[in-house]
Structures are given as C-alpha cells and as structure tokens.
Amino acid sequence: MDFTLQHIVAFVLVLLVGLSAGLCFTWTNAITTGIGKLDDLGYLRAFQQMNISIINPLFIIVFFGPFILGLPHLYLFKNASSSMIWLLIFALAFYFFGVLLVTIFGHVPLNELLDKTDLSKASLEDLKLLRNRFETKWNRLHLIRTVTSITSFLLLIISLVQSIKQ
C-alpha cells in the first residue's frame, strides 16, 4: 500500500485531534474531579498554575494543528466520495465550533478572570464567590469540548478508514 500526501495529512490530523480529545477526556475524567475536591484556595491556585503551564509550544501545536490542517486536508480529499467529504466537514466543524470557539470565547475569559486575581489577598468569601463564578461554567463548557473533540476524532477515524479502503 502506498501512502500519499493525503494519507499523511489525514494521519497527522487524526493524531492531533486524538491528542486533543484525550486531553479533554482526561481533564474531564480526572483533573476537574480531583481538584474539585480541594478547598477554594487550593482549587483556584491549582487552576491558575495549570493555566500557566498548559500554554506551551507542544500544546499550541496539538490544539491549533487541526484547525491549520483542516482545510488543506479537506482540499486534498476534494475528489473523495460525498459521504467522506461530509464526514470531514462535520469532523472539522465539531472541532472548530466545539473546541476552538468554546475555548476562545468561553474558557479564555474565565481563565483571564482567574489569572487577574491575586489569591493571596482575597478573603475566604471572595475565594468562594470566584470559585462559584468560575467552576460550574468552566466545567460545563469543558464538557462541550470533550464531547465535540471525541466526536470529531471518531468521524476522522471513520474517514481515514474509508480513505485507506479506496
């Protein structure tokens, strides 16, 4: 079997979306449930530190890579069957709307609110109010990211299997 540029781009795209879906799943399954058991100060400090450490070159590649590769990938498969084109369109739309836009317009403002707060100077009541304002909304938005990234990943796997069979 010969692998073409189409297949290489498809494999990389599936890998990047899979890594994003895995990150979202792990965050939903373990991280938020684990730190959710901390007191308000511990929870908010942990989130501040994670917000700082997650912004790194590898994360940027994994997170934005599917968006950057998505359109070239679709172009490379422009002559594929209509069902495969629709799988790709839906996979990319789920990732774009459910992961990228939810992050940019939902999580980033919440993270910035948290990052601007000097937790060492906040009262216990302020910490409780900030956590209440942050945690439920952040987790609800993150569930959207988890579901849509996994959905995107599954659709891309199906499309990749179809492309290999052709």
Side-chain angles (χ1 to χ4, degrees):
M1 168 187 269
D2 292 330
F3 285 102
T4 64
L5 179 61
Q6 288 176 319
H7 293 113
I8 294 168
V9 171
F11 282 122
V12 172
L13 181 61
V14 170
L15 175 64
L16 294 177
V17 172
L19 289 170
S20 289
L23 175 65
C24 288
F25 172 79
T26 301
W27 204 283
T28 297
N29 186 54
I31 295 171
T32 56
T33 56
I35 67 170
K37 296 176 181 169
L38 296 173
D39 64 23
D40 295 335
L41 180 59
Y43 174 87
L44 296 168
R45 276 191 177 150
F47 239 102
Q48 278 184 337
Q49 291 306 307
M50 286 185 286
N51 287 343
I52 292 167
S53 65
I54 200 164
I55 304 301
N56 63 68
L58 187 55
F59 172 78
I60 299 299
I61 291 167
V62 169
F63 186 76
F64 287 105
F67 176 69
I68 294 166
L69 280 179
L71 292 177
H73 178 69
L74 197 54
Y75 177 77
L76 288 170
F77 281 90
K78 68 182 179 288
N79 296 323
S81 68
S82 63
S83 63
M84 185 163 158
I85 296 292
W86 281 110
L87 280 172
L88 295 174
I89 289 170
F90 282 123
L92 296 172
F94 272 107
Y95 193 86
F96 180 74
F97 291 106
V99 179
L100 282 178
L101 291 185
V102 165
T103 300
I104 292 167
F105 295 109
H107 288 104
V108 169
L110 287 170
N111 293 343
E112 287 175 349
L113 169 70
L114 179 58
D115 292 343
K116 289 178 188 174
T117 304
D118 183 351
L119 299 176
S120 65
K121 295 181 181 177
S123 69
L124 292 177
E125 184 60 30
D126 290 338
L127 295 172
K128 183 174 186 62
L129 289 171
L130 178 59
R131 182 175 181 170
N132 288 339
R133 189 172 167 197
F134 178 87
E135 184 176 22
T136 301
K137 187 173 183 182
W138 199 99
N139 288 342
R140 195 175 315 123
L141 289 168
H142 186 68
L143 183 58
I144 294 168
R145 284 197 303 199
T146 303
V147 170
T148 58
S149 64
I150 291 170
T151 302
S152 179
F153 182 55
L154 291 173
L155 292 172
L156 287 172
I157 289 173
I158 293 167
S159 73
L160 182 60
V161 168
Q162 277 188 4
S163 76
I164 292 172
K165 287 182 178 179
Q166 293 179 354

